[in-house]
Amino acid sequence: MRGVIFEGGRPRFVDDLEVREPGPGEVLVGIRAAGLCHSDVSVVDGTIPFPVPVVLGHEGAGVVEEVGDGVTHVAAGDHVALSTLANCGACAECDRGRPTMCRASIGMPGKPFRHGGREVYSFAANSAFAERTVVKAVQAVRIPGGIPLTSAALIGCGVLTGVGAVLNRARVEHGDTVVVIGTGGIGLNVLQGARLAGASVIVAVDVNPSKGAMARRFGATHFVDASAVPDTVGAVRGILPSGADHTFECVGRTELIRQAVDLLGRHGQAVLLGVPAATAEASFLVSSMYLDKSILGCRYGSSRPQRDIARYAKLYEEGHLLLDELVTRTYAVEDFAGAVADMRRGRVARGVLTF
């Protein structure tokens, strides 16, 4: 079968990948569409350390082909969106409703694939850049058949992370003020999360002025072109003189983390979503934090996928959540390199690989 494999060096398309059958509590899914996320590229450039060889991809949707023993919530033929959380459901964190913190799943990649006689790792317990993949049953969330799978694929990472960061982690309230730094796939979903939460002022910041129209479509009330102003913090302060209730850093650069902190008002909180190098260190003025300000890490939108994916699918059907608009372009999986090139040049909100 077809897929994208990374063995060190450059990732490559192959057509002789193999995947095992699902075991108890597992699901075999035929992938139809998979979004290309910066996290996939971060594995390639070393920002996210991961063992190789590995099948990339972690934002996918498809059709259930087979279920293992004990799986009852999905069946062959169901359309599903996949999450990356292979959580156990039994540890202390899962018991508290925090599956993103599951101690039994983080840092324990499986090897459901084979290529060239070798076992191959699954990335993020998902590997959506494969024609078929095996996931834990908890990762497969049934969605209505009427949602295009190219759009549904994006729920499993970009939407869960961005919208979830607003609703689950920051818990933005009606009338709050929000600043979003970076308007890529994650940032756009933070913007629409803030819109859904009823934020009164939503400021999008990006160095690419062409992203302004899209940012406003997703919920921004203001757009700051950081490439055109000498002082980004000052420009945003011109809109929010007292600072923001919530800031979201969606790029993964330490100087932007500092900006996110500097833009906070009293009792404000900065939420970190971008992923810098694992050894990166950020600085801020400690004295600035004594007005009840907070810096919050956020993994995967602090999501509970079985609940949240179904919720976002319903919001899409009701016309409140934008998904189709995120898909700038689709690519055959064989054109993985072209999709990466377009993403690096900022040409797409989200590129989607299709099978």
Side-chain angles (χ1 to χ4, degrees):
M1 66 179 188
R2 296 171 292 165
V4 177
I5 190 170
F6 176 60
E7 301 164 293
R10 292 185 179 181
R12 61 192 180 99
F13 167 79
V14 298
D15 60 7
D16 55 349
L17 193 63
E18 300 174 19
V19 66
R20 63 171 172 77
E21 296 181 353
E26 294 181 333
V27 178
L28 176 68
V29 178
I31 298 294
R32 299 292 186 270
L36 175 60
C37 175
H38 277 279
S39 294
D40 299 303
V41 179
S42 293
V43 173
V44 176
D45 65 23
T47 302
I48 297 178
F50 205 88
V52 296
V54 58
V55 175
L56 296 174
H58 65 285
E59 188 179 65
V63 180
V64 175
E65 295 190 358
E66 186 180 348
V67 300
D69 291 344
V71 178
T72 59
H73 75 289
V74 293
D78 285 345
H79 286 204
V80 292
L82 302 183
S83 86
T84 68
L85 295 182
N87 58 294
C88 70
C91 69
E93 298 297 341
C94 286
D95 190 52
R96 293 187 181 105
R98 303 172 185 163
T100 58
M101 296 293 111
C102 176
R103 297 177 183 273
S105 63
I106 295 176
M108 300 182 187
K111 296 179 179 179
F113 300 99
R114 292 188 67 84
H115 181 259
R118 292 189 299 169
E119 291 184 327
V120 179
Y121 286 102
S122 175
F123 177 55
N126 188 308
S127 288
F129 294 167
E131 201 164 354
R132 295 179 184 84
T133 192
V134 169
V135 298
K136 289 187 66 172
V138 71
Q139 296 176 253
V141 183
R142 186 168 54 197
I143 58 173
I147 300 180
L149 291 174
T150 49
S151 299
L154 306 186
I155 301 177
C157 178
V159 176
L160 278 180
T161 299
V163 178
V166 175
L167 302 183
N168 300 327
R169 187 65 168 131
R171 298 186 179 181
V172 173
E173 296 183 353
H174 187 84
D176 283 354
T177 58
V178 171
V179 175
V180 181
I181 301 174
T183 59
I186 298 300
L188 289 175
N189 280 297
V190 174
L191 289 171
Q192 71 170 332
R195 171 177 54 79
L196 289 168
S200 59
V201 178
I202 306 172
V203 182
V205 181
D206 205 289
V207 296
N208 186 345
S210 68
K211 292 186 176 182
M214 181 72 84
R216 290 181 183 276
R217 188 174 189 181
F218 274 75
T221 59
H222 300 75
F223 181 83
V224 172
D225 175 7
S227 70
V229 295
D231 176 12
T232 302
V233 172
V236 177
R237 284 280 185 174
I239 302 166
L240 296 170
S242 299
D245 296 315
H246 311 273
T247 61
F248 296 83
E249 200 284 335
C250 305
V251 181
R253 290 171 52 184
T254 55
E255 67 270 27
L256 298 181
I257 291 172
R258 172 61 183 267
Q259 284 187 11
V261 174
D262 289 345
L263 284 168
L264 293 175
R266 297 185 180 210
H267 202 69
Q269 52 186 15
V271 181
L272 309 186
L273 294 173
V275 182
T279 56
E281 298 182 1
S283 64
F284 57 90
L285 291 175
V286 176
S287 60
S288 71
M289 303 302 291
Y290 293 118
L291 292 173
D292 283 359
K293 299 178 185 180
S294 306
I295 300 174
L296 305 179
C298 183
R299 182 172 189 261
Y300 204 42
S302 301
S303 297
R304 296 166 64 179
Q306 286 288 336
R307 176 198 68 180
D308 290 346
I309 289 177
R311 178 187 186 186
Y312 299 151
K314 186 174 185 345
L315 286 170
Y316 168 82
E317 289 190 308
E318 292 172 346
H320 302 305
L321 186 80
L322 304 180
L323 290 180
D324 304 337
E325 295 82 356
L326 286 167
V327 183
T328 310
R329 182 179 170 185
T330 59
Y331 306 78
V333 66
E334 292 86 346
D335 192 21
F336 173 76
V340 171
D342 283 349
M343 184 188 73
R344 289 191 185 277
R345 296 186 180 107
R347 294 175 176 170
V348 294
R350 230 8 166 228
V352 177
L353 302 180
T354 59
F355 289 85

